[in-house]
Amino acid sequence: MDEVCEGKDFSFPKQEEKILQMWEDISAFENQLKRTESMPEYVFYDGPPFATGLPHYGHILAGTIKDIVTRYQTMIGHHVTRRFGWDCHGLPIEFEIDTKLGIKSRDDVLAMGIGNYNEECRSIVTRYVEEWEKIVARTGRWIDFKNGYKTMDPWYMESLWWVFSKLYEKGLVYRGFKVMPYSTGCKTPLSNFEAGLNYKEVDDPAIMVSFPIVDDPDNAALVAWTTTPWTLPSNLALCVNADFVYVKVRDKSTGSTYIVAESRMSQLPSKKTKSDAPNGSVKDAKPPNSKSKGSSSEKVKSGIDTGSYELLGKVSGASLVRLKYLPLFDYFSELSDAAFRVVSDNYVTDDSGTGVVHCAPAFGEDDYRVCLNSNIIQKGEDLVVAVDDDGHFTGKISDFKGRYVKHADKDIITAVKGKGRLVHIGSIKHSYPFCWRSETPLLYRAVPSWFVAVEEIKEQLLESNKQTYWVPDYVKEKRFHNWLENARDWAVSRSRFWGTPLPVWISEDGEEKVVIDSIDKLEKLSGVKVTDLHRHKIDHITIPSERGPEFGLLHRVDDVFDCWFESGSMPYAYIHYPFENVELFENNFPGHFVAEGLDQTRGWFYTLMVLSTALFGKPAFKNLICNGLVLAEDGKKMSKRLKNYPSPMEVIGDYGADALRLYLINSPVVRAEPLRFKKDGVYGVVKDVFLPWYNAYRFLVQNAKRLEVEGSAPFVPTDQVTLQTSSNVLDQWINSATESLVHFVRQEMDAYRLYTVVPYLLKFIDNLTNIYVRFNRKRLKGRTEEEDCRIALSSLYHVLLTTCKAMAPFTPFFTEVLYQNLRKVSNGLEESIHYCCFPHAGGKREERIEQSVARMMTVIDLARNIRERHNKPLKTPLREMVVVHPDTDFLEDITGKLGEYVREELNIRSVVPCNDPLKYASLRAEPDFSVLGKRLGKAMGAVAKEVKAMSQADIIAFEKSGEVTLAGHCLKLTDIKVLHVFSGLIRLFPFPTLDALVCAWEKNNSYPMIISMKLLKHVFQF
């Protein structure tokens, strides 16, 4: 082995760069794939990131998780294909081009030409590929970029067509309208997930509007409250709750009669009597709930302000249903037969507003649903949406044509007031969704779309979810399960340009429809050669009608697929299934593993589950790791603008990629919890894990080289079979502890619990350096016989080699550095540690000795603590120490084969064992009130009294039998707390006078220690 430098001179980042060069020189990743080609396939799905930015900590975290799992699976005997993917289509790309070219509307794109626009989009897709490859490789992740997939590749897009056609064949596709969050800045609808990304506090108008009921004897008007005046021109219905009680009241100042929910009566404005006020106008009205001067005594029960309103009667919500009312505007007068009537639904609540909701079905999800259920509008019919893609009123709303809807609010309110229909005007500060890209307020707007009927397969989705394994499991059982339970039909199309076109061709009369499932089919039906499936390459292609030439040609619909449909089809499309790789797919579906962030429960995880269940009746994946979000140190979202976090490459340049990997993996973020990223935390990993690990390795190399310097034969490690017979107790212990490490890492990795490995490794490294190396310095430095020295060095060598192999998936660079030097003294080792198999936990494990050494260290730590507390340094010898413990095996070990280490470490002449804890402590029983209180109720007092009165013999008998009957109640071990109370001192005869006790016993596999020391007249108990 080559000489190594001191830890302070070892540069982790520079060593990692050397390893990167070595991997490149030997084509390590490519050769690993070739070496494992004949092994069973382990299928890993890598979700495609958008190609419009550089990787951040979220990408590095998910990439690290994926790399650890796939490296481990390779080491245990699988062939793991790892292909990087790119999400190339959709809004992120279009938004960049719109910004670059100053495109403001859909018409601008059409004027430019879809072909020119799409080629602009294509040109920026691969802009960051080189940077991605560099950063991903620098983090130590092995993934194939050269053979990666892009969602814009024709073969990928062809598989999407096949997926859609299969859904269509199964009757799971239909065309309809859906009210969706709509971005006027990006001119596209967003998913509910995207709509939730950017809420802001805003001030909006809050108005009450009257809707006079036709032929009401009191000329009463229903009063509706809204914060979106711009939707009033499209009003088609009013909705009440059939279970509510409504009141009819007369405004004493105006004579107007209103109907509102009784529970919301207090929301009507109170005002002074004004005989000249216009009907329903509230020019000088005070905000709801404010008191008019001198009116406090006039407030009466039911919230009715008798100073302002006269109660005329009460009616049920159900009695209001089907009543007709006078429309506010006449833009939709052609719908008068079906529209402008009262309907009911339970979505109307009494926690805000008036208990009457105005419905504009084109601009509200509930509005659309309620109007559809009440036959105000019909499913499948064209819904008139009087707002265009840019958020401007169409010619249908003639008085406000061309106006941006939010800017028209004031003028609409003025028009309502001019009609005498404004009851109250105010404002409200509330949380409102904005587009996370364009920062424009979202509108809820009905858009025509093609849907996958998710609601029809809801039960199958829930069953598919049961077949998957998640870490952490609560994300599956709660968050994801609840999302599936409330799943709605999925709008999979977008009225955009840069995307995979829907493969639907329709005749001019709408009677004939063809869904294309392959390029070959399109070529055969159209007679046109197809090389690219983007809109500008196929929109011109027509298909002759099967009914004859007189029925004209079929043209493709304008829509493209939502990019979530594209990524959700990844398991099939990335291998061009079913056109290629049929056997590979069908033998390995569902895939074995996926991993992404918590936000993907409503994104990629969901779309994977929907499509696989719809197509094959099973989930797309078997195992899933869900990580949380990486936040800035102050708990805020990481922001390039705020510069509130260090760049990943800066951290890697300072401390190395392995340290960053372990920091991320050993954090709450791997349990789907948030992580506040701290650069100091990465340094902590270097200090607490890598430097001690390196120092143990350096100690081995130094002493192995020492043998040569002193003229002995070069160090060659003794084989492990021989080492298993070593009579040295610490050799036995470290070999067993290493076997336990391998067993634990295998167990946790098989269960995908990555976050448990680092704490165990940390403890192992601590034990290796502070127990094995520290207590064995004389042997390792050759101060005993040479053969004993070589046995100790060989034990340390094999421990380090095995540890490197077990931790190679987690720290690929550092383990490679150590391995490359360690392999120089052993024949037959692989060229790279990443070609090695994962160690088998088949060696000899000595649980007794592992436990005894752990207890020994506890005793040593406690004894040190006593010395420190009483200012008695280790150089002051003690004659005797008594260790009290019920386990005779441990007492035998601590006074026998471990005795010399304890005596030397603590500077004590003698260690005396005692296996009777009750010799120095007494037992006392206490009832566990938290357990018994609810169960026993009033009998608790009598039972508690008898529990406290239990004698020591009673307690011992209770612990032995596991139950006892007191005051007529049977109590178990979980009902009573048994306390050990310190009751005496053991004299230790030191030089000088000192009295001390070290008492240690174990109960239920824990180690509650009682330590006390008598110094002069004071007793200290810990």
Side-chain angles (χ1 to χ4, degrees), residues 438-625:
S438 66
E439 293 292 336
T440 53
L442 298 182
L443 307 180
Y444 281 81
R445 175 174 177 262
V447 294
S449 185
W450 291 83
F451 291 84
V452 173
V454 176
E455 294 170 45
E456 290 187 21
I457 59 170
K458 187 182 298 183
E459 293 305 317
Q460 294 171 259
L461 287 173
L462 294 171
E463 183 58 35
S464 290
N465 190 39
K466 292 178 183 178
Q467 299 170 32
T468 60
Y469 172 80
W470 291 50
V471 174
D473 61 350
Y474 75 84
V475 179
K476 166 191 169 181
E477 301 296 342
K478 295 181 180 179
R479 186 185 182 103
F480 195 61
H481 175 84
N482 293 341
W483 185 250
L484 294 179
E485 269 200 329
N486 297 289
R488 301 287 181 86
D489 288 355
W490 175 21
V492 297
S493 64
R494 296 289 183 266
S495 182
R496 301 297 299 174
F497 306 100
W498 178 241
T500 300
L502 261 68
V504 181
W505 271 255
I506 298 179
S507 60
E508 294 177 6
D509 60 8
E511 294 297 319
E512 194 173 348
K513 186 186 302 177
V514 174
V515 176
I516 302 294
D517 63 1
S518 67
I519 293 175
D520 181 64
K521 183 175 180 179
L522 177 59
E523 289 179 341
K524 287 179 179 177
L525 291 179
S526 66
V528 178
K529 181 67 176 176
V530 178
T531 57
D532 188 343
L533 295 183
H534 286 95
R535 283 195 60 177
H536 58 295
K537 298 293 185 178
I538 66 167
D539 276 2
H540 66 283
I541 296 177
T542 58
I543 297 174
S545 172
E546 289 185 348
R547 296 173 292 172
E550 67 273 18
F551 291 95
L553 300 170
L554 279 66
H555 296 265
R556 198 193 68 82
V557 298
D558 286 342
D559 305 67
V560 299
F561 281 114
D562 173 21
C563 59
W564 287 110
F565 188 89
E566 295 185 333
S567 59
S569 300
M570 174 265 171
Y572 332 108
Y574 90 111
I575 55 174
H576 197 206
Y577 179 82
F579 307 99
E580 296 181 73
N581 301 302
V582 174
E583 185 177 350
L584 172 65
F585 173 78
E586 294 180 354
N587 289 342
N588 296 282
F589 185 80
H592 294 93
F593 172 64
V594 296
E596 294 294 345
L598 186 63
D599 52 352
Q600 296 303 323
T601 52
R602 299 181 179 185
W604 192 51
F605 299 156
Y606 175 70
T607 59
L608 284 174
M609 185 70 76
V610 168
L611 292 180
S612 66
T613 300
L615 291 171
F616 303 105
K618 61 177 77 172
F621 52 86
K622 297 176 182 177
N623 304 288
L624 182 151
I625 295 178

Side-chain angles (χ1 to χ4, degrees), residues 44 46 56-71 84 132 136 139-143 593 595-596 627 661 664-665 809:
F44 152 65
D46 195 15
H56 50 66
Y57 284 106
H59 294 117
I60 292 173
L61 167 63
T64 298
I65 293 171
K66 297 168 186 177
D67 190 56
I68 291 172
V69 172
T70 52
R71 283 181 182 273
F84 202 84
W132 268 84
V136 170
T139 65
R141 186 180 179 193
W142 281 5
I143 187 122
F593 172 64
E596 294 294 345
N627 62 264
R661 287 166 68 109
L664 292 173
I665 293 302

Side-chain angles (χ1 to χ4, degrees), residues 80 96 110 169 306 353 515 688 797 845:
V80 188
E96 284 207 26
L110 297 176
E169 289 175 13
T306 56
V515 176
D688 297 335
Y797 173 89
R845 293 176 64 191

Side-chain angles (χ1 to χ4, degrees), residues 38 49 62 71 134 269 341 427 498 595 635 667 693 735 738 745 764 766 807 862 875 882 901 1018:
S38 61
R71 283 181 182 273
K134 178 181 177 182
R341 57 185 172 87
S427 65
W498 178 241
S667 75
W693 192 353
N735 287 330
T738 305
V745 174
F764 179 83
D766 181 63
M807 292 306 299
L862 295 172
K875 66 182 179 180
V882 178
Y901 301 112
H1018 299 282

